[in-house]
Structures are given as C-alpha cells and as structure tokens.
Amino acid sequence: MTGHSKVEIKRKAVIWLLNYALYIVLFLIIAVSAWISPNFFTVRNLYSMLLNNGHYLIIACGISLVLLTGLTDLSVGSIAYLSMVFSGIAMKNTQIGTVGGIAVCILTGIAAGTINGFFMVKMKLSPLLVTLGMQLVLRGIAMLITKSMYIYMPDNVYSFMTKTIGGFPGVMLLVILLVAILHMVLSLTGFGKNVYAVGCNPKAAKSLGINAEAVKFTCVILCCIFASLAGFYCASNLGTIQQTIGMSWEFDAIAISVLGGISLFGGYGKIFPGVCIGFLIISIIENILGLMGVSTYLIPIVNGIVIFASMFMDSLKYQYSNHTR
C-alpha cells in the first residue's frame, strides 16, 4: 500500500468519525444522564426539558439559514426581545389576541432583517460588525421602552402554551412542524438548492444564474423572523417579557447549529437530523446539570466549551474534506 493510499484511508476514516460523532455523543450523553439521575427519563422531566428549551431550536434553525449562506447574525437575541416588547404592548393595549401578537413579532423580525440584509448584503459590510451593532441598538431600544420593567403576557397566550395533545405539548408540535417545513424547503426546493450553492461558492452560483444577493437577503430576513418567533415562544412560556429574554441566545443558537453539522464556512449541513440532534445534546446537558443541582453559573461555561468543540470539529471536517463539500 502506497503512502498516498494510507493518507487517503486515514482522511476518509477521520471524516467518517466526524460525520457520525454527533450520534455517538448523543447516545453517550443520554446513557450517562440516565445513569446519573433516575429522574432523567421520567415523562415530567422530558416534557419540561422540551417545553422550556423549544425557543433554542427555533432560533437555531434561523441561524442555520444565514450560516449556510456564509453569513452570521449576532443580533437575533435582541430581535427576539424587541419583538416581544412590541408584541406584548400591542396585546396589552388592544384586542389583537395571540394571532395578532405573533403577527406583530413577525413584522418586527421582517423590519430588523431588512435592515440587517441591507447593510450586510447590499452594502457589503461585515456581518459581525453589522449584527453586533444591531444587537446593542435593538436591546437598548427595548430597554428604553420598558425601562427594564416586566410586561405580563395575556392569560389566553399562556393557556395556549400549556395545551397538550395526547399528553405532548401542543406548541412543541408546532415547533416540530416548523422545523419539518424548513427542512423540506432546504432539501426539496429550488430555493434550498440555491442556498447551498451560494454558501459553497457565491461566484460559481452567480455564474449559474443564481441571484446570490437575493438568496442571502431572504435568509437574513427569515433568520430574524425565526428569532422573533423564538422570543414569542419563550415569553409565552414564562408568562412575562423580561429583559433577560434573548441574552446570549445567538451563541447558544450557533453552538446548536455548528454542533449539528452546519458549517461556519457555509454550504453544508442539514436541519434534520443535524440541528435537531445538536438541540437535544445542548438541552440534555443543561437538563442533567440542573438535575444534579450544579450551580447555574456553570452552565454558560459548559456551553462555551461546547461552542469551542463544535468549531474545532467543523474546522477538522473542512480540512479533511480538502475544502470540498
């Protein structure tokens, strides 16, 4: 066997391991969690874990869209908070109800996404700087409006969140439906193929007649809409709109996305099963730490380690695949 053949076998073995590492990690985490705490596999605990963390899955799906195009967004947490401030005030002062509140959230997300898209895509400014600036501005506007005070959600919204279907949280079924639709759009439609093409090579995509700017702009707006929906989900679950809503969500979302196989280099990764498994891993880690009575200050540290590990794995995938996807 030649030296070149050995190197190629090693490369393929590493890629195989990296591709299936996600499933191995999920299995190990579930096994260890069940061994550590007998309460882990109880219906009540699993119900609580899914319901309390559903907003992470929603916002991770939005972040995944911009990552697939080679962009990023650090403003999604602030967009979630500002959307809920507008929505909460509108529901409190008018009779628009739950559907109207969701509509206000979506409109806020579209507005924020349009601003982000204009500066990132049209003006060609750095996505990191644009969205970091938007993060500070939008949260500042929200805190100025609320003066950091709580806004209580209407009772009908909270009752909507607590409805169950066959013992399963009804709102989680809606989240699953949302994830399924996004997965099918990316996997089966021309728009989805264009997203991957733009992420892999914008110049090549343009030469094929794909409007790369339009694809990126659309993904930025969709990402902000998902962020707004995540904010509505979280606030409705809590029953109040708090200034802590959205804080560090962008980093949790990126961790879930990259851990689930979405490449930071763009053009590679899937919502299902990738991002969904990343969501389960992060949720289980936080859940088992809570069951163990570990200090809540340790959770951000663990999440930070997960982010580093995810980026390292993504870098290895990119390296060993010889920069091809």
Side-chain angles (χ1 to χ4, degrees):
M1 184 179 292
T2 64
H4 177 73
S5 298
K6 290 181 179 179
V7 171
E8 183 64 18
I9 291 173
K10 179 182 176 182
R11 187 182 70 85
K12 290 182 177 180
V14 172
I15 292 176
W16 182 91
L17 182 61
L18 290 171
N19 286 336
Y20 287 93
L22 193 62
Y23 302 96
I24 298 171
V25 170
L26 178 62
F27 173 79
L28 290 176
I29 288 177
I30 291 175
V32 171
S33 298
W35 176 70
I36 290 175
S37 174
N39 295 323
F40 175 73
F41 266 125
T42 61
V43 174
R44 181 178 181 180
N45 179 62
L46 295 178
Y47 178 99
S48 176
M49 181 182 73
L50 291 175
L51 188 62
N52 292 337
N53 293 314
H55 57 280
Y56 286 137
L57 180 56
I58 299 173
I59 204 165
C61 286
I63 281 286
S64 296
L65 278 172
V66 293
L67 290 178
L68 284 172
T69 63
L71 301 174
T72 191
D73 193 334
L74 299 181
S75 66
V76 287
S78 295
I79 291 171
Y81 180 41
L82 182 63
S83 298
M84 278 319 303
V85 169
F86 287 152
S87 178
I89 292 174
M91 287 188 291
K92 183 178 179 181
N93 296 330
T94 64
Q95 300 297 321
I96 61 175
T98 303
V99 175
I102 294 174
V104 171
C105 270
I106 292 175
L107 290 174
T108 305
I110 291 174
T114 301
I115 296 172
N116 279 348
F118 174 77
F119 286 109
M120 287 194 292
V121 180
K122 295 296 183 181
M123 300 299 292
K124 310 294 184 184
L125 299 181
S126 167
L128 286 174
L129 294 179
V130 169
T131 56
L132 181 60
M134 282 289 286
Q135 177 193 86
L136 299 174
V137 170
L138 296 182
R139 184 163 291 275
I141 292 173
M143 295 180 70
L144 183 64
I145 294 172
T146 62
K147 295 180 174 58
S148 300
M149 301 293 289
Y150 286 4
I151 298 176
Y152 290 92
M153 297 292 284
D155 293 336
N156 62 320
V157 177
Y158 184 73
S159 62
F160 170 76
M161 288 293 297
T162 56
K163 287 182 179 178
T164 60
I165 300 176
F168 195 82
V171 71
M172 276 305 298
L173 292 178
L174 294 178
V175 173
I176 292 172
L177 178 62
L178 185 65
V179 172
I181 291 173
L182 180 60
H183 172 72
M184 288 188 290
V185 167
L186 288 175
S187 302
L188 304 176
T189 68
F191 172 74
K193 293 177 181 178
N194 290 346
V195 169
Y196 285 103
V198 170
C200 285
N201 193 325
K203 292 183 179 179
K206 188 175 182 180
S207 67
L208 293 173
I210 298 173
N211 190 333
E213 286 192 357
V215 171
K216 289 183 177 182
F217 210 114
T218 302
C219 287
V220 170
I221 292 177
L222 287 174
C223 173
C224 294
I225 292 175
F226 273 76
S228 298
L229 293 175
F232 191 91
Y233 180 103
C234 182
S236 301
N237 191 34
L238 293 172
T240 58
I241 301 169
Q242 309 172 11
Q243 63 176 344
T244 55
I245 287 179
M247 283 189 173
S248 77
W249 281 12
E250 51 277 350
F251 301 110
D252 293 323
I254 291 173
I256 290 171
S257 299
V258 179
L259 183 61
I262 302 294
S263 176
L264 289 171
F265 300 99
Y268 183 83
K270 293 185 177 296
I271 299 297
F272 181 84
V275 174
C276 295
I277 294 179
F279 161 72
L280 287 175
I281 289 175
I282 295 293
S283 298
I284 292 172
I285 290 174
E286 292 190 2
N287 180 255
I288 195 61
L289 289 175
L291 291 175
M292 292 170 61
V294 174
S295 171
T296 55
Y297 297 109
L298 183 62
I299 294 177
I301 298 175
V302 174
N303 286 342
I305 294 172
V306 171
I307 291 175
F308 278 117
S310 302
M311 292 181 177
F312 178 69
M313 288 177 60
D314 184 61
S315 179
L316 285 179
K317 281 184 182 180
Y318 189 74
Q319 175 184 348
Y320 278 91
S321 61
N322 288 331
H323 301 261
T324 61
R325 293 300 190 184

